[in-house]
Amino acid sequence: MDEPTLRALLDAAPVAAVVVGQDHTIRAWNPAAAAITGWEADEVLGQPDPMIPEGRQQETAEALEGWLAGSDEPERLVLPRVRRDGSKFQLCLESAATIELADGPGMAVWFTEASDLDALVLHRNQLSRRLVGATRIEDVVPVLTEAVTDVLGAADAVVLRRCPPGLHLHGLRGFGMETEVAEQVELDLRTGTPWTAAATGDITDGELDIGDGPLASSFIPMGPEGGGWVLATRGTHAAGANVHVQDLFRAVADEAWAALKRVSLVAELDGKIEILEATSRLAGSVGLDLEAALTAVTRHAAEALSCERAAVYLVEPDSGELELAHVFASDASPDELLAEDEGLELAREVVRSGDEVLYQDVSACEIAEGPWHADAGSVAVMGLPLLVANRRVGALVVAHTIAHPRGFTSLCQQVGAAVAQQAALAMEHARLYAAAQRNVERLEEMDRLKADWMAGVTHDLKAPVTTLVGFVDTLRRMTGQVSEDDQRHFLDIMSRQAKRLVGLIEDLMLSARVEADAAARRREVVDVGELVETVVESMDQDDRERIAVKTDDVTASVLGDRAHLQRVIVNLISNGLMHGAGAITVSVGHETGKVLVAVEDEGAGVPVDDRERIFERFVHGDHEASSGLGLFVAKGIMEAHEGSISVTDRADGRPGARFELRFPRSRRQREQDLAPTEVVEDRRRTDPVGSGGV
């Protein structure tokens, strides 16, 4: 189509029209365009568009091209323009089309003059389209700020939300102002002020003072009716405007609400994805080895929270003490960080409270020591409890440092809580596995010791029985041929072997009863000195000659089962006779309110490493009988009597072992050593219910 024909067609159009060539000069200009702009055709043909404000030619061209490319039927576009007399107006692009001119492609545009309201609505629609793809708060805030200032004509605005108790509106977000300022706004809903009506669904006008003096403001409901969200636009009066303007205010407020909710949901979804990724990475890297698990937990915790430091503190199951288990640091040497303090105080507070402990500025934290102190380079620190079924097993502490100074966001707190939960389970599994492994090893060792013990018991039982049977057969076969002296000698041997057999059988029976806590159920006052004398007198003549008994002048009486206590002394003396080549010394005395019995021999002694093990069942120490029961039985009986048994070197420094028995003294013996008034007080202390007792 030639340009004269094109001009003729446009001149007949009732809507203003202009044709622009690819060189941005006007090729056609109809009378309707001249009527709106004041520019006649002969003034603009062959010239750049005079309506475009100075310096905005390129911007206009890009807007037109983008508008055409955006849709088959693009929505109307409002652009600022200048008339011939210099006055400004809003031009509304109704439609446009590309056409072929003689020198190449061009563009035909049909336009009208937009009213102020039309311009605002169209501007708002443009902003709405920009919001469609915005899912981050940093993208949403600029668009909504433009809507508040350019469309609604406000100086700025603040989003208010009803707080949980329902009696206040709290600042949530600012448009055209600092969010920190907006967050400080708090309005009382009980005062009957304009924002009270807005919180329930009505647009109202009033004043809002956020520290810079009262400013005329409009309070517009946001989102669902009665939802408790309000947009306060400062420098406006929406309630007094016409219904179309009010609708515009409501539309912008609802658009803001929808955008903020969308951003919140996207952030929540991102947070859940980040949590899943963090926990899955952690779960995939933690095995059943506790040390490896600790290393993986600290490293992954630091990575998940973009921290430079992370440490795990665990509560020891036996002692209940909190200890540093492992520390990770990418910005410093762990040894240097822990040189002076392990930072236990902060971890203790986490375990004590069972809640998150967060310090965005560690300089304000008095308990942040060691790697968490500001002097060590920490900036912000967060402690998270490690919980297993509400049981506090430790703490996970992480920190940002001066290497990358920043704080912890709410998403960091969520990710940290999820990582701590996963870490607690992983380490508990590792702990249980380690404990199970130790139990398996212990059971295997017990099985081995039990097999050895059974062999020892069989040998010990067989030896006296074989001896007895042998002498019985000898006497029967040689009846009348053995002299009386030989018979007495044989019978003495048989008697000793029989006693030995009886002792072994008693130890076997008592060992089973000790584990069932059946020892020492009968109680009577026993004079330990007399008991020792009785045991020694029951020994063979050869054994008695090797035993020396020493007692002090004070009667040593205890409360217990006489037969069981006698078994203990028999076992210790027999043990000394068996393993000590020289004399046996048995001492009976007192020590700080207890009765002390000591048995010393002249044998090789007991190595320090074996002094606990020799009292275990099935254990064969160099100083224990082959059955491994004598000392085990002695220990069980002593514990049943609330006493103790131990072994050391001889008191005089000579080679040999010293076994010590400590008994609590009987009440009767204690009262003999006390004054009358002390006896009454002692009874109150030891027998508060007045049950009497021996």
Side-chain angles (χ1 to χ4, degrees), residues 467-468 470-472 474-475 478 482-497:
T467 301
L468 284 170
F471 278 102
V472 168
T474 299
L475 290 174
M478 300 180 64
V482 180
S483 66
E484 290 185 2
D485 290 340
D486 287 341
Q487 289 183 25
R488 281 193 295 272
H489 177 64
F490 290 169
L491 290 173
D492 287 341
I493 294 174
M494 294 169 66
S495 176
R496 286 196 299 272
Q497 295 301 322

Side-chain angles (χ1 to χ4, degrees), residues 47 80 83 184 254 273 317 356 440 576 597:
Q47 304 295 324
R83 292 188 178 91
Q184 296 173 9
D254 287 341
I273 292 174
E356 171 197 290
V440 168
V597 178

Side-chain angles (χ1 to χ4, degrees), residues 502-552:
V502 169
L504 288 170
I505 294 173
E506 288 179 351
D507 280 347
L508 282 171
M509 296 174 63
L510 279 174
S511 68
R513 297 178 64 190
V514 163
E515 288 192 336
D517 197 23
R521 288 184 177 175
R522 292 176 298 172
R523 298 290 181 176
E524 60 181 304
V525 177
V526 179
D527 187 317
V528 178
E530 293 181 358
L531 190 63
V532 170
E533 294 288 352
T534 300
V535 170
V536 173
E537 290 175 1
S538 67
M539 299 284 182
D540 293 334
Q541 179 65 33
D542 293 341
D543 292 337
R544 287 200 303 270
E545 292 177 355
R546 294 175 55 191
I547 302 172
V549 179
K550 298 180 180 180
T551 60
D552 56 22

